[in-house]
Amino acid sequence: MKLGIMGAMPEEISGILDMLDDRVRRQIGGREFWEGTWSGLEVVAVFSRLGKVAAAATATVLITHFHVDHILFIGVAGGADPELSLGDVVVARDLIQHDMDASALPMFDRFEIPLLGRSRFAAHASFRDKAIKAAQLFFDHDFDGVVSKQTQASFAIGTPKVATGLIASGDRFVSDAAYLESLRAVLPDLRCVEMEGAAVAQVCFEFSTGVTVVRVISDRADHDAPVDFPRFTAEVASVMTKGIAKQFLYLLMLDLSTH
Ligand code: ADE
């Protein structure tokens, strides 16, 4: 089992790099891929840079060059579900590209990926369950130790929740409540918006590779998002992504050692 771990920004992946043993760096296509091990499990970690094209190119290299069996994408997202607060975690059940629209052509629906005949890509079911459990273990055992009460209060984090559902990706940082509402009107199960997950999911679908996407809510995708996002990313994102990834790797190793 070889696991690819992706984040869009250095802050989302730096904590994870610290956990790898025997790290070796390889530069491909302007990206740094870090090969290493975690308790014997082979891992390749990389930050893709923002957006669907960057993420798709990076996922393709992970699959075709490094031959990973599964990709875990971990990072932050703007909350779309009013039940979600900053610090909550969303694990994708399925993913959609909210800026894909070829519907001016009568044969395509809005969001449909032409020639694939689908708009949604499913996350790997059993890895998704592991990611949900990993995030809950992180909140139950580690969260208060790595995010101070003062920082939690400054982001109005109460008791953080783990949710699952639809994640929408697009080449747009959403900071417009009206746009978000228009998406929610047509995608009532939408949980959060980000800029990479569904692109990685499409590549994984086309290469028959499993995908798991985990997102920590950094903002509400509204007019406050440009302020909340950089502050959350700088102060909280990397310790949370590291903590959740660590629990996920631990559950994966447990599973591999008992099967
Ligand atoms: N990632 C984090 N917050 C986001 C937002 N509001 N829009 C798109 N991607 C995001």
Side-chain angles (χ1 to χ4, degrees):
M1 168 79 199
K2 197 180 203 181
L3 181 71
I5 304 182
M6 288 177 67
M9 298 183 293
E11 295 87 338
E12 293 169 328
I13 214 79
S14 59
I16 294 167
L17 291 181
D18 295 343
M19 300 194 296
L20 299 184
D21 295 321
D22 310 320
R23 249 169 42 181
V24 177
R25 183 175 71 98
R26 304 215 190 279
Q27 185 121 12
I28 302 175
R31 285 156 184 79
E32 289 185 337
F33 294 81
W34 293 92
E35 288 182 281
T37 57
W38 187 89
S39 289
L41 182 76
E42 286 183 276
V43 172
V44 187
V46 56
F47 88 88
S48 60
R49 304 201 212 114
L50 300 183
K52 294 190 302 168
V53 174
T58 308
T60 306
V61 174
L62 279 175
I63 295 168
T64 59
H65 183 90
F66 292 98
H67 304 290
V68 300
D69 302 296
H70 191 99
I71 294 181
L72 167 67
F73 191 106
I74 190 157
V76 295
D81 176 345
E83 296 287 302
L84 293 174
S85 309
L86 269 57
D88 289 347
V89 168
V90 176
V91 179
R93 181 198 61 214
D94 49 1
L95 299 108
I96 196 166
Q97 295 171 31
H98 65 76
D99 54 357
M100 172 55 79
D101 189 357
S103 65
L105 301 170
M107 60 281 215
F108 300 125
D109 290 332
R110 184 176 177 195
F111 308 125
E112 183 179 335
I113 308 294
L115 308 185
L116 284 187
R118 62 175 61 230
S119 57
R120 293 184 183 222
F121 297 94
H124 188 288
S126 72
F127 278 62
R128 178 192 63 150
D129 291 346
K130 269 190 205 43
I132 293 171
K133 202 166 165 190
Q136 199 55 61
L137 282 170
F138 168 75
F139 283 136
D140 292 347
H141 300 287
D142 310 325
F143 182 62
D144 286 341
V146 293
V147 181
S148 71
K149 283 284 177 202
Q150 196 185 356
T151 303
Q152 291 181 35
S154 78
F155 288 103
I157 298 176
T159 305
K161 301 183 285 295
V162 185
T164 185
L166 179 67
I167 295 182
S169 314
D171 286 320
R172 167 177 184 158
F173 183 87
V174 182
S175 57
D176 172 353
Y179 179 71
L180 191 65
E181 263 321 299
S182 72
L183 280 183
R184 280 170 36 79
V186 288
L187 301 169
D189 53 339
L190 182 62
R191 296 279 197 195
C192 63
V193 289
E194 38 85 310
M195 300 175 70
E196 298 85 16
V200 176
Q202 179 179 340
V203 171
C204 286
F205 174 80
E206 297 198 45
F207 284 88
S208 302
T209 301
V211 66
T212 305
V213 179
V214 176
R215 291 289 186 172
V216 182
I217 302 300
S218 59
D219 56 79
R220 291 195 180 74
D222 58 9
H223 64 281
D224 291 329
V227 176
D228 291 337
F229 166 80
R231 198 163 80 82
F232 190 93
T233 303
E235 293 180 32
V236 186
S238 89
V239 286
M240 285 194 67
T241 52
K242 177 181 182 176
I244 296 167
K246 192 172 176 183
Q247 291 287 3
F248 181 80
L249 288 169
Y250 169 72
L251 293 175
L252 201 57
M253 285 303 293
L254 262 188
D255 207 35
L256 290 172
S257 59
T258 51
H259 286 98

